[in-house]
Amino acid sequence: QAAVVESGGGLVQPGESLTLSCTASGFTFRDYTMAWFRQAPGMDREGVASINWSGDLTSYRDSVQGRFTISRDNGKDILYLQMDSLKPEDTAMYYCAARRHYVVQRSLRASDYNIWGQGTQVTVTS
């Protein structure tokens, strides 16, 4: 069964960094567009970053651009999100998502993805 599992979340102070990982299994990782989403309590799920199958095309929401970097290792079937200069407003549950590359290539719309992880919590507080 296709699955993605997130890891790397934690509690950090503003200005610090954190790296999230998403390990894929049960599907051909290199054939899928991947993305990170996040959801804070009482808020809608929002797209954070996406990356196409080969890793040469990426998209970021404005609030994280310049601070976050999405990348992938198609040899290890792992998606990453490097988060620098973290802010309290980055606090959320972070989810990994996947969809066949011929369906979507750089979308930040949650409805475009059909494989989801359980999430990893990121908390930024002083």
Side-chain angles (χ1 to χ4, degrees):
Q1 184 173 348
V4 290
V5 179
E6 304 93 338
S7 62
L11 177 65
V12 297
Q13 296 183 338
E16 294 184 337
S17 298
L18 206 57
T19 300
L20 305 183
S21 298
C22 168
T23 300
S25 62
F27 64 98
T28 306
F29 183 73
R30 64 182 179 275
D31 291 341
Y32 282 70
T33 295
M34 304 296 296
W36 288 98
F37 290 81
R38 67 186 183 186
Q39 188 168 26
M43 303 289 284
D44 292 334
R45 187 167 298 189
E46 62 182 21
V48 177
S50 66
I51 187 167
N52 75 327
W53 70 273
S54 61
D56 61 327
L57 294 175
T58 58
S59 295
Y60 298 91
R61 70 179 302 107
D62 289 344
S63 62
V64 309
Q65 192 163 327
R67 298 188 297 120
F68 290 11
T69 302
I70 188 171
S71 62
R72 65 191 296 160
D73 187 334
N74 285 347
K76 297 181 179 180
D77 292 356
I78 301 178
L79 174 74
Y80 300 98
L81 183 66
Q82 175 66 46
M83 304 183 293
D84 297 321
S85 302
L86 283 163
K87 303 175 180 179
E89 49 263 48
D90 294 319
T91 296
M93 184 71 75
Y94 282 70
Y95 299 91
C96 175
R99 188 72 185 269
R100 283 276 200 173
H101 72 89
Y102 53 76
V103 177
V104 58
Q105 292 189 312
R106 56 191 305 177
S107 174
L108 290 178
R109 295 184 177 91
S111 61
D112 284 344
Y113 295 84
N114 61 357
I115 301 175
W116 291 86
Q118 293 293 91
T120 185
Q121 179 67 39
V122 172
T123 302
V124 185
T125 182
S126 60

